[in-house]
Amino acid sequence: MQVDSASYGLLTEFERGTQLASSDIPEAMLDVMREGKFVVDESETESYLLTRRRARNTLVYDGSIIDLTICPTLSCNFDCSYCFEDTQSRSQVMSREVMDGILRFISSFDKAKGISVTWYGGEPTLAFSVVRELTPRIGALGLDFNGSTLVTNGYLLDEEKIRLLSALSIAVLQITIDGPREVHDQRRVLRGGGGTF
């Protein structure tokens, strides 16, 4: 729907906190707003909110799918100007004790049938050995992998790691960049200097 200047003015007033009566809004616009549930009748409000809450709770508390984000290291090979992490220069990698704890945590979900993992960091390819070790151990728990994701700066990806992605149930590879080369290389430099595009 194209918004005319009068309707736009009303919406601007509403955004500023002005209380509007439904009689102030053109009927065609009100119909679109009702359809999108931006406006509901008083009798619908509680019912609509309860329906939304029930749908959300069903997803959140379902328990048949586990969705984990795992950080095998907070270390990073980049020294991005805007990074909030103060752990980039540490070389600590997830310990076997922590891996065992993750497996116990996953096993505590009795009703779980599937699992999805997002690997992130720091830079997870700096601790790729953790991904290689933990993935088959998770698989041995009898859960179906629903496609895992690796979020990486991509700098350390090589043919060997790329060949292993499928065996490690990694279906999505997200490589982070900051725009074109000239912008990226100013903001995302290697630890010790140098562009990374």
Side-chain angles (χ1 to χ4, degrees):
M1 172 182 181
Q2 187 171 355
V3 178
D4 59 34
S5 58
S7 298
Y8 180 77
L10 287 172
L11 290 173
T12 303
E13 286 299 313
F14 181 71
E15 185 178 44
R16 289 185 187 143
T18 305
Q19 293 292 323
L20 296 176
S22 57
S23 60
D24 295 334
I25 302 171
E27 194 60 38
M29 186 173 186
L30 201 52
D31 288 343
V32 170
M33 293 173 79
R34 281 189 185 116
E35 186 178 324
K37 298 294 185 190
F38 297 105
V39 173
V40 293
D41 293 330
E42 261 187 68
S43 60
E44 289 183 273
T45 303
E46 187 172 352
S47 173
Y48 177 71
L49 292 175
L50 287 173
T51 301
R52 297 283 300 185
R53 185 178 299 147
R54 190 177 315 113
R56 179 189 170 278
N57 287 343
T58 299
L59 292 173
V60 170
Y61 299 111
D62 172 58
S64 66
I65 303 293
I66 301 170
D67 190 1
L68 288 181
T69 300
I70 301 176
C71 177
T73 184
L74 287 173
S75 180
C76 189
N77 53 330
F78 282 17
D79 191 15
C80 300
S81 61
Y82 53 81
C83 187
F84 62 90
E85 297 283 359
D86 62 355
T87 57
Q88 295 170 331
S89 60
R90 295 183 193 162
S91 58
Q92 185 177 6
V93 171
M94 181 183 288
S95 69
R96 180 154 283 116
E97 180 181 48
V98 173
M99 285 189 255
D100 292 344
I102 290 171
L103 294 170
R104 283 191 303 275
F105 176 74
I106 294 168
S107 296
S108 72
F109 290 86
D110 299 357
K111 297 176 184 174
K113 293 180 175 63
I115 188 165
S116 178
V117 176
T118 298
W119 299 98
Y120 92 110
E123 173 49 46
T125 59
L126 285 171
F128 203 68
S129 60
V130 172
V131 178
R132 289 179 71 171
E133 180 178 341
L134 197 50
T135 299
R137 291 179 71 192
I138 292 170
L141 297 175
L143 299 171
D144 293 327
F145 268 100
N146 294 324
S148 295
T149 300
L150 177 69
V151 181
T152 175
N153 60 35
Y155 196 81
L156 297 174
L157 284 177
D158 55 25
E159 287 185 31
E160 179 189 0
K161 288 182 186 82
I162 291 170
R163 271 196 308 272
L164 288 170
L165 294 179
S166 181
L168 295 171
S169 300
I170 296 172
V172 176
L173 183 64
Q174 179 182 338
I175 299 176
T176 57
I177 60 171
D178 278 13
R181 180 184 297 273
E182 56 276 6
V183 174
H184 178 93
D185 282 348
Q186 285 179 353
R187 298 173 54 147
R188 303 194 70 185
V189 296
L190 280 174
R191 186 161 299 289
T196 62
F197 188 75

